[in-house]
Amino acid sequence: MKLCLILGDQLSPTLSSLTGLDPQNDILLMCEVRSEATYVKHHKKKIAFVFSAMRHFAKKLSGEGYNIRYIKYDDPNNTGSLIGEVARIISQNAITAVVLTAPGEHRLKTEIEGWPATLNLPVTIKEDDRFLSTPAEFATWAEGRRQLRMEYFYREMRRKYSVLMDQNGPIGGQWNYDAENRKPPGSGLDVPDTFRVQPDEITQEVLALVETHFPDHFGDLLPFHFAVTRDQAVAALDQFIAKRLNLFGDYQDAMIQNEPWMYHSHIGFYLNCGLLTPLECIERAEAAYHQGMAPLNAVEGFIRQILGWREYVRGIYWLKMPDYKSANFLEAKRPLPDFYWTADTQMNCMRQCITETKQNAYAHHIQRLMVLGNFALIAGLDPDEVNNWYLLVYADAYEWVELPNVTGMVLFADGGQLASKPYVASGAYINKMSNYCRACKYKVSVKNGPNACPFNYLYWDFIGRNDGKLRGNPRMGFMYKSLDRMSAEKRQEIQDDSHRFFTAIDANEKV
Ligand code: FAD
Ligand code: DLZ
Ligand code: SF4
């Protein structure tokens, strides 16, 4: 008799560990455990989402005749760890082998590799074939390349899966339509609401459990409206295709006060725990293009995020771990300011993005990258603390996708293995792509002094502070030319303002 362990982000009917099982005899185990719920102090909504989706998935498998053991978090016999629960089932049954699909995170893979010795049983780890490329394929692609640029990987994936291709190559003649994307937010946009599901009885029970057992975790538990079954997640995808995909490209980078969802898809949660597959999302978007429901710039842009970025960051993760986790190229060490938890800051852009993160366990890409991440970069925040924050606040966060985005894309802590230069911007960028600055205490047009937008002087302080590490980067040349042209007084002003600002955040004063 085999024991198959299904993890909380493996909620897919096509899961590799399910193939070859004898549904009546072999045992399927799913367990809500303290070790996974607290290895970082996940947002309350994230725990509720994962537990409720796990319970719904177990119910479905049970209805299909699988012999399933589901361990609830508050079961008095729950040992609190995956190995504890696996060992408990083994002690009660004639188990001859354990099988599971490869876990998404390196820490768990390392742990599980020690299980055969601990359990004295064979443990088979199957490939996670829900992705569109394997870590081994990525490593082959990466071999011998000086730079691992997403764009070239993406083109290979387009060819491999024949996505948006015709007999002459990429449809429309170009691989990438970003030049047509990324418009500033227009006034009077009528942004459709995100997909919402009313919590059913199972979700209600989980919400009460999370409130009881995780009261000190970050974030608002209610209102809770995530999809928790595959059918609901497919309905969320349908809603995106019908209502938002057509403007996805245009407003991909736009931010509007009190509009957390914009024209994004809000499917990352569902993809990453297995309720949706990447290929079905890509196929639905491509079909929408052929049916004239959405233009090429939007559809190609959306597909690139899934077929390109999502697969690429996973490839980087498995190629570079475990060293990637401790990378700190810029030697940044400032502790995470308290306002990342409280949103209590006068910088309106930061207040907006942190408040929305607290409310929704979601922020869209440009909020994560160009507001929250940009600040972390220019303020020199410690990569460990920043990674911990991103891993726990978002309901779609797992280390394989979070770490390369934070360490590589946001903090340039890997020294440029993922991005060719730091994504760094002053207040002017935020002002161009959002209406946040209008409601801010600081003046985005002012460069120095107490009323100046902190992003303005911190930007130049960052460039100056990292001269030794970044001047040689060819894509930073124009920034260093501008810095070199600045008067000594101007540079002193930048340093003084930055010093005043850093002293205030280090003393936990409101900035
Ligand atoms: P959309 O904007 O509608 O994009 C569609 C899908 O494309 C996403 O659901 C996602 O699966 C994929 N995608 C888009 N961009 C990326 C990317 N850069 N890397 C990988 N996949 C991408 N994404 C996560 O899934 N989990 C994370 O923990 C995570 N952390 C991030 C941290 C930082 C600092 C940054 C800059 C980005 C992070 N991302 C992460 C990528 C991206 O921001 C989210 O995937 C996206 O915001 C999720 O919202 P959505 O489903 O509405 O995505
Ligand atoms: C995210 C998460 C949480 C909050 N809780 C559980 C859990 O109790 N049991 C479980 O099997 N999985 C959980 N998960 C998902 C795991 O953390 C995830 O499988 C690993 O991080 C590997 O990607
Ligand atoms: Fe953010 Fe500066 Fe704009 Fe204020 S003025 S919202 S701090 S970019």
Side-chain angles (χ1 to χ4, degrees), residues 346-350 427 430-431 436-437 440-444 453-455:
Q346 314 203 80
M347 293 179 283
N348 185 45
C349 53
M350 294 292 284
I430 296 173
N431 191 35
Y436 292 157
C437 300
C440 189
K441 176 204 168 237
Y442 296 109
K443 298 272 166 289
V444 70
C453 164
F455 283 82

Side-chain angles (χ1 to χ4, degrees), residues 16 27 92 119 132 136 160 173 180 200 322 361 363 380 397 442 458 500 504:
S16 57
I27 298 179
Q92 295 158 357
L119 300 169
L132 300 171
K160 177 176 170 187
E180 295 170 34
D200 63 5
Y442 296 109
L458 292 180
R500 174 181 42 77

Side-chain angles (χ1 to χ4, degrees), residues 34 37-38 41-45 47 73 206-222 358:
R34 195 179 149 69
T38 60
K41 288 181 85 173
H42 304 285
H43 194 300
K44 286 181 193 158
K45 267 201 171 83
I47 301 179
Y73 195 81
V206 167
L207 291 172
L209 181 143
V210 171
E211 199 54 81
T212 307
H213 292 273
F214 306 95
D216 60 339
H217 281 222
F218 176 79
D220 301 347
L221 182 60
L222 301 176
K358 260 180 110 175

Side-chain angles (χ1 to χ4, degrees), residues 5-10 30-34 36-39 42 46-47 50-51 54 73 82 103-105 107-108 397-400:
L5 172 68
I6 300 185
L7 298 168
D9 56 353
Q10 300 185 336
M30 296 179 71
C31 40
E32 299 168 3
V33 287
R34 195 179 149 69
E36 289 307 307
T38 60
Y39 73 95
H42 304 285
K46 180 179 179 183
I47 301 179
V50 173
F51 284 7
M54 283 173 72
Y73 195 81
L82 294 172
E105 298 194 341
R107 72 180 165 89
L108 206 51
Y398 297 89
E399 194 182 72
W400 64 265

Side-chain angles (χ1 to χ4, degrees), residues 328-340:
N328 190 359
F329 174 69
L330 298 177
E331 297 173 70
K333 16 183 182 306
R334 187 169 305 285
L336 194 82
D338 218 38
F339 59 72
Y340 271 84

